[in-house]
Amino acid sequence: MTVRRDFKEPARCRPDLVIGREEPFADAREQLARGGSVLLHGPAGIGKSTVLRALAAENARAAPTVLRCSATESESHLPFLALADLFGLVLDRVSGALPAAQRTALESALTGRGESTLQRDGLALRLAVLSTLRALAAEGPVLVVADDLQWLDSASAELLGFAARRLGDTPVQMLCAVRTEGQEEYDRHLRACPPDTRVVRLGPFSRVQVSTLLDHRGYTGLSRTTVRDIHRTSGGNPLFALELGRALAESPTRPRPGEPLPVPTSLRALVLSRLEMLSDEARRTLLVASAGARPTPALLHAAGRDHAEEETAQAAALGLLATDPEEPALRFAHPLISAALYAEAPAHERRAAHAALSTAASDPIERARHLALATTGTDPEVAARLAEAAALARDRGAPSVAASLGLLAARHTPVDPPADGAPAGTEPGRGVPGPDERRLQAAEDAITAGEVDLARDIAREVLTRATVPAERVRAWMVVIEAAGQALGEVDAVYPQVLADAGDDPRLLALVHYQLAWREVVVDGDFVKARQETAHAAELAARGGDRRTELMALAFQSSTETLMGHPDAPATIERALQEPQDPDVACHHNGAASARFRWLLMSDQLPEARRSITGLLREARRRGMVESEVHFLRLLADTELRSGHCGRALDLTRESLRLARDSGIGESASAMLASLAEASGGDVDRALALAREAADHAEVDGDQLYLSLALAALGYAQLVAGDAAAAVRSLRRVRELEHGMGINDPARGRWHGDLAEALVRIGEPGEAQELINVTRAHAQRLDRSSVLAVLDRAEALVRAARGEHEAARAQLTSAQDRFARLGLGLEEARAAFVLARLRARGPGPAPYDEAARLFRRCRALPWLRQVDAAVAAGPVEPETAPAASPAALDGLASMERQVASLVMEGATNREIARLFISVKTVEATLTRVYRKLGIRSRVDIVRLAAGRRTK
């Protein structure tokens, strides 16, 4: 495939900026840093030149001499041209170092003066190139940068290869790029590179990378659905994606449902030249194939293409179709070929192709789609068939297809007013849905499929003209759902939708259900949210809307669970009573999901795992993308609590990829990915993900997930060894949850981490106070694992006070309980703390058990802490501070007051009530520590004890 070089450069282009190539770029950078050479390869437009330029710019600073060449197809027949590009400007610097015969042959080849050829002067030329590179390398490292190696003239390629194989330890590196279509086509080009060359393949972009590239180049107004189409049509090729994005940006109208993207002339030229070599009949056959979803020879025969085999064989010989004996379906060599072929065809030929496929296709969904695209104007029969096909796609778990078919159905549905006596919003005289009702169904399917931008656009369009209250409320519900966690952005919607709902209990139930979510997410008020959900359930029951009633009851049970309300189990049972709605049964906010959370918080991990695995399987079967994102995350949470850190890491990464791809649940997925990374992956990545999640939640005004994100951040900071930062993050979590009325400590399980961090910074009094308050809630709710975590934290408090025997006994008990509950990571953490306490004395440090348990969990960050502790050796037993008790008398007045309160066990926050602020107390304590030559509050307590014994 030949790519022209006359593309328009999109806005904000930075040729040296590498997007979506972080991993191959890092591989190439590492190879170059070691002094090796790199060969980049991949198909046309994949971004080889961009990566090459960025690497060359980065490495040119370390190489005094940079030799460059960039070959073109039109010049590839000219001998020695690439050699002239490389050496033309430096020959004068080294010509004196070359033997006369070599210098003469090289000058003749580079200048064209004389009759130098490889056949006549082969050895002299080969040695001249080698000698030139060695002479340049004597002055400093040399970097040879060669782009489009496939167009290198054969003479230059032969000479470079000869020298490259003989450079040895000479500091000459090569950075080359070559166009290849397959995986192994670079072999012959390696002959022009040194033996140690690393081959780096640039593959297609993911959908997220295509989206990032389009945003960077200024194409920011594209919906996720459009980006998905661009990714599919471009095959992930960044150049093709940019050209398609530019064509869309310049087009006055967007493609209608079912229609492919407009293909710009610049891209059509890639394939149209080969299409001209096809016969007219073969071209028509390929057009039918491009219009089909999975074209086969049998389908083409059924569509009237009698010579399909011969015509497709002709196309395959021209490289338009990819052949695979094991695959019966015909496949275009690149999606762009199909798109360009379809875009170039006249409208009447496209309709004829779809008309033929509407009877030839075996699948009813495909037949309906082709019938729609073959039909112009409204047609009630076509619309009805499309609506039936949409319902079938919905049942098959393909909501995205259902949304597309629903929009086609709406497009073909007549818009005349209903006949007398027919319900509003229905087709005249038929009692079937009207166009806006079909659009709303398509919007709801798009929500299910995770295409929230499409859903929002459809709903907003309906609201511009709908007058029927039921349609307006339904459209408002889509707008609110599409807002995701950013419910504060749609605050103005609620008064309007309440007005549209009037006094209809079915419509009001929908509104109050959404108001309950607003209370939780925006205001963080669980008490009001519970009242709203109960009201929504009662209204839905009165209006006979079982689906909304079940959703409201499930949400009510979730709020009660987090509040520690005693009615939570009973409400879950009500939500699970028959009759059930199949969509609610596997919804991420349904009763089964609420029951899973109850199981997880009650430490019933095996049952929780079975429950969430079944929900995930059903969500995938139904194509419920948002639920899939949530269930992947919840399954990861279950695995993490079980101590399966590697499995949790894989699941959270999958959830995060899907969340970013769909734009759904990004904050929540980043939050749990942070927990998994801090436990079993990379702590720096954990910190970045937690901050990302917190930033998302702050922007969305989502207090519910902000508290969870900050809890993840505090945990990552604790694992990273920054106890002071962990205290700051987790204190804020405590404030947020207190304000929201969340009393169940099993919700975020951050309390033990905060207590541990407080002990580390010398605040055992505050840690004990937190433990006491949390323990009361955990005992009331029978949260066994939370009680064990609190005992582990309290053991740290006791150890800080010198009560080592009691601390060891408490840790041993906690570790045993963690083991019985199946909480592998918590068990390992308890063993680690116990080992640290036992290491305070002579003899080898007893870390083997902790290391074994962390290794079983694949908890790599914690294993690194064990290794560091072993390397540090035995911990010296804590002794009383060097300062004498009398030194307390030398403190300033405020310093003595603060120290005295510390001796009495007061926390910084309690002391601050008597002074200006917590910061003032902290600053005063810092001065006290410095003056007394001590390190913590514990040392002050010991000084006080020494004073009392005298």
Side-chain angles (χ1 to χ4, degrees):
M1 190 179 290
T2 302
V3 178
R4 293 167 49 198
R5 295 181 174 272
D6 60 350
F7 293 105
K8 294 181 181 178
E9 190 69 12
R12 297 196 297 139
C13 178
R14 283 268 314 281
D16 61 323
L17 184 63
V18 177
I19 293 176
R21 296 297 183 201
E22 292 77 13
E23 187 172 337
F25 189 86
D27 287 345
R29 172 190 278 164
E30 180 184 353
Q31 172 73 353
L32 291 168
R34 287 201 297 259
S37 297
V38 171
L39 176 64
L40 305 168
H41 79 103
I46 205 69
K48 301 180 298 297
S49 296
T50 300
V51 175
L52 183 93
R53 285 194 297 268
L55 287 167
E58 188 175 279
N59 287 271
R61 292 186 288 271
T65 302
V66 180
L67 309 177
R68 303 175 187 268
C69 71
S70 183
T72 62
E73 184 177 14
S74 61
E75 299 168 342
S76 60
H77 65 286
L78 300 174
F80 307 121
L81 185 61
L83 206 65
D85 288 341
L86 291 171
F87 293 152
L89 299 178
V90 297
L91 184 60
D92 290 344
R93 282 168 46 191
V94 296
S95 60
L98 301 181
Q102 295 180 23
R103 181 172 62 250
T104 300
L106 187 58
E107 287 177 348
S108 177
L110 297 186
T111 62
R113 295 191 297 270
E115 296 295 330
S116 182
T117 66
L118 274 179
Q119 287 73 28
R120 192 181 71 182
D121 303 318
L123 181 59
L125 277 172
R126 287 175 172 82
L127 293 174
V129 171
L130 180 59
S131 299
T132 299
L133 289 172
R134 285 174 173 166
L136 291 169
E139 302 172 4
V142 176
L143 178 65
V144 178
V145 182
D147 199 2
D148 282 321
L149 211 60
Q150 74 277 2
W151 303 134
L152 214 66
D153 64 274
S154 58
S156 297
E158 168 64 24
L159 294 170
L160 275 177
F162 176 88
R165 290 189 294 273
R166 291 164 175 79
L167 285 169
D169 295 333
T170 306
V172 176
Q173 296 174 270
M174 294 186 69
L175 174 58
C176 306
V178 62
R179 180 185 304 175
T180 57
E181 294 300 331
Q183 284 281 359
E184 308 299 333
E185 293 179 17
Y186 56 80
D187 283 349
R188 63 188 179 90
H189 301 290
L190 273 174
R191 291 196 292 271
C193 302
D196 68 341
T197 298
R198 174 181 288 185
V199 177
V200 177
R201 176 170 175 79
L202 301 184
F205 273 18
S206 68
R207 193 192 308 183
V208 173
Q209 290 169 331
V210 165
S211 177
T212 302
L213 178 66
L214 291 167
D215 285 345
H216 170 71
R217 296 301 176 92
Y219 306 132
T220 55
L222 303 174
S223 68
R224 290 182 184 274
T225 307
T226 302
V227 171
R228 180 199 62 192
D229 292 341
I230 290 176
H231 176 258
R232 184 178 60 242
T233 303
S234 68
N237 186 296
L239 178 62
F240 300 168
L242 285 173
E243 286 298 294
L244 290 167
R246 180 171 65 84
L248 278 170
E250 294 175 354
S251 175
T253 58
R254 295 292 169 87
R256 292 186 298 182
E259 291 184 343
L261 296 175
V263 180
T265 304
S266 56
L267 293 184
R268 292 189 201 184
L270 300 180
V271 295
L272 292 183
S273 58
R274 276 179 282 176
L275 287 174
E276 292 172 358
M277 301 172 68
L278 290 172
S279 66
D280 290 342
E281 289 302 310
R283 186 165 177 165
R284 291 191 185 96
T285 295
L286 281 195
L287 176 60
V288 174
S290 72
R294 281 178 57 82
T296 62
L299 177 66
L300 294 177
H301 274 291
R305 308 310 304 168
D306 297 334
H307 304 286
E309 284 84 358
E310 296 88 340
E311 290 158 354
T312 55
Q314 184 184 356
L318 292 171
L320 296 167
L321 292 176
T323 57
D324 184 353
E326 303 296 323
E327 176 58 54
L330 299 171
R331 183 169 58 86
F332 283 89
H334 192 281
L336 187 64
I337 298 173
S338 173
L341 175 66
Y342 189 93
E344 187 70 12
H348 71 275
E349 288 189 9
R350 293 188 209 170
R351 287 196 296 272
H354 286 298
L357 289 168
S358 69
T359 58
S362 59
D363 186 82
I365 292 177
E366 274 299 291
R367 288 199 301 270
R369 185 179 75 87
H370 289 302
L371 180 62
L373 295 174
T375 306
T376 57
T378 59
D379 187 317
E381 295 299 329
V382 172
R385 284 185 57 183
L386 285 164
E388 291 170 2
L392 180 58
R394 199 176 303 119
D395 290 341
R396 288 181 181 177
S400 179
V401 175
S404 176
L405 292 168
L407 287 176
L408 284 170
R411 174 178 150 195
H412 290 287
T413 301
V415 294
D416 300 275
D420 291 343
T426 61
E427 200 175 293
R430 296 290 302 275
V432 297
D436 280 344
E437 189 169 352
R438 283 176 167 153
R439 287 187 182 93
L440 288 171
Q441 180 61 65
E444 290 162 356
D445 287 330
I447 286 284
T448 302
E451 299 179 10
V452 292
D453 294 334
L454 175 62
R456 184 190 301 109
D457 291 345
I458 296 169
R460 291 287 187 188
E461 179 192 351
V462 170
L463 285 167
T464 60
R465 57 176 175 269
T467 57
V468 178
E471 287 186 355
R472 291 189 61 80
V473 170
R474 195 173 168 188
W476 285 125
M477 292 300 103
V478 171
V479 171
I480 294 171
E481 288 277 355
Q485 298 299 119
L487 289 178
E489 296 179 2
V490 292
D491 258 351
V493 165
Y494 297 101
Q496 299 178 61
V497 69
L498 278 169
D500 285 333
D503 56 2
D504 187 326
R506 291 175 62 93
L507 301 182
L508 285 171
L510 293 170
V511 182
H512 284 281
Y513 174 75
Q514 292 295 347
L515 282 169
W517 276 106
R518 188 201 171 281
E519 291 294 347
V520 166
V521 173
V522 179
D523 292 339
D525 192 329
F526 275 69
V527 174
K528 286 187 178 178
R530 179 174 178 267
Q531 294 170 352
E532 289 285 3
T533 54
H535 187 39
E538 187 272 328
L539 286 167
R542 197 189 326 154
D545 183 355
R546 182 60 174 164
R547 183 185 189 281
T548 302
E549 181 187 6
L550 291 171
M551 292 293 288
L553 286 170
F555 190 16
Q556 181 183 341
S557 70
S558 294
T559 59
E560 289 172 347
T561 297
L562 295 178
M563 293 168 66
H565 197 285
D567 290 349
T571 308
I572 291 176
E573 288 302 318
R574 286 178 61 199
L576 290 170
Q577 288 175 358
E578 296 293 341
Q580 285 290 313
D581 182 293
D583 289 333
V584 176
C586 61
H587 194 280
H588 58 280
N589 289 321
S593 185
R595 177 176 175 270
F596 159 79
R597 291 187 183 92
W598 174 263
L599 291 169
L600 192 66
M601 293 170 69
S602 302
D603 303 316
Q604 299 180 51
L605 294 183
E607 180 61 25
R609 183 182 290 106
R610 284 192 292 272
S611 172
I612 198 63
T613 301
L615 288 170
L616 176 60
R617 183 169 53 248
E618 185 63 14
R620 282 173 165 165
R621 189 184 73 80
R622 291 173 170 267
M624 301 169 71
V625 174
E626 185 172 7
S627 293
E628 182 181 355
V629 170
H630 282 269
F631 293 152
L632 278 168
R633 189 176 70 252
L634 295 177
L635 179 56
D637 194 8
T638 308
E639 299 294 353
L640 195 59
R641 295 190 189 198
S642 301
H644 304 152
C645 297
R647 172 71 172 146
L649 202 57
D650 291 340
L651 288 165
T652 55
R653 287 172 176 172
E654 184 181 354
S655 173
L656 188 57
R657 280 195 300 270
L658 185 57
R660 286 176 170 164
D661 198 22
S662 62
I664 294 171
E666 292 181 75
S667 177
S669 295
M671 175 272 298
L672 201 68
S674 170
L675 290 173
E677 291 285 352
S679 298
D682 183 275
V683 179
D684 289 336
R685 178 165 167 77
L687 291 166
L689 285 167
R691 292 188 179 105
E692 175 191 330
D695 289 345
H696 266 294
E698 291 268 26
V699 170
D700 291 344
D702 182 353
Q703 294 191 56
L704 187 66
Y705 275 116
L706 177 59
S707 66
L708 290 171
L710 289 171
L713 178 59
Y715 172 66
Q717 289 164 334
L718 185 67
V719 176
D722 192 348
V727 167
R728 288 193 296 272
S729 299
L730 296 174
R731 276 175 174 164
R732 191 174 176 203
V733 176
R734 180 173 59 188
E735 293 169 2
L736 285 167
E737 291 203 354
H738 179 74
M740 288 188 285
I742 295 176
N743 293 315
D744 193 332
R747 185 249 185 176
R749 297 176 185 259
W750 50 267
H751 310 77
D753 293 335
L754 176 54
E756 181 174 338
L758 285 166
V759 172
R760 289 191 192 181
I761 67 168
E763 292 282 0
E766 184 180 345
Q768 187 64 62
E769 180 184 352
L770 170 68
I771 290 167
N772 293 341
V773 171
T774 308
R775 181 177 280 136
H777 289 299
Q779 288 173 337
R780 177 175 60 85
L781 297 167
D782 193 24
R783 299 300 191 226
S784 300
S785 62
V786 174
L787 290 169
V789 167
L790 295 174
D791 280 354
R792 185 184 66 208
E794 190 170 50
L796 290 169
V797 175
R798 286 181 167 177
R801 291 172 174 166
E803 304 169 15
H804 297 299
E805 287 303 321
R808 292 189 190 108
Q810 197 166 16
L811 280 168
T812 301
S813 172
Q815 183 180 343
D816 289 343
R817 282 179 283 157
F818 286 135
R820 287 196 300 271
L821 291 167
L823 302 177
L825 185 58
E826 299 292 0
E827 179 189 358
R829 287 181 64 179
F832 186 32
V833 176
L834 185 59
R836 279 180 159 170
L837 287 183
R838 288 173 174 165
R840 295 180 182 277
Y847 289 109
D848 290 348
E849 175 72 359
R852 181 184 69 81
L853 292 172
F854 280 133
R855 198 173 294 113
R856 184 181 69 182
C857 295
R858 286 185 58 191
L860 302 183
W862 288 104
L863 265 174
R864 285 190 283 271
Q865 289 195 31
V866 173
D867 291 341
V870 171
V875 179
E876 292 296 326
E878 291 188 4
T879 59
S884 67
L888 292 169
D889 299 329
L891 299 176
S893 174
M894 178 177 283
E895 293 167 353
R896 279 199 306 275
Q897 291 180 60
V898 171
S900 297
L901 290 167
V902 169
M903 292 174 197
E904 296 170 7
T907 66
N908 284 4
R909 191 174 299 278
E910 290 169 339
I911 299 171
R913 294 171 189 161
L914 304 176
F915 296 96
I916 300 172
S917 67
V918 173
K919 287 186 178 179
T920 302
V921 176
E922 291 172 347
T924 304
L925 276 175
T926 300
R927 291 197 301 274
V928 170
Y929 298 157
R930 186 172 61 251
K931 287 184 178 181
L932 298 180
I934 60 178
R935 294 176 297 178
S936 71
R937 299 165 60 95
V938 176
D939 293 336
I940 295 179
V941 175
R942 289 189 179 128
L943 280 173
R947 169 183 280 183
R948 284 194 292 271
T949 59
K950 290 193 175 182

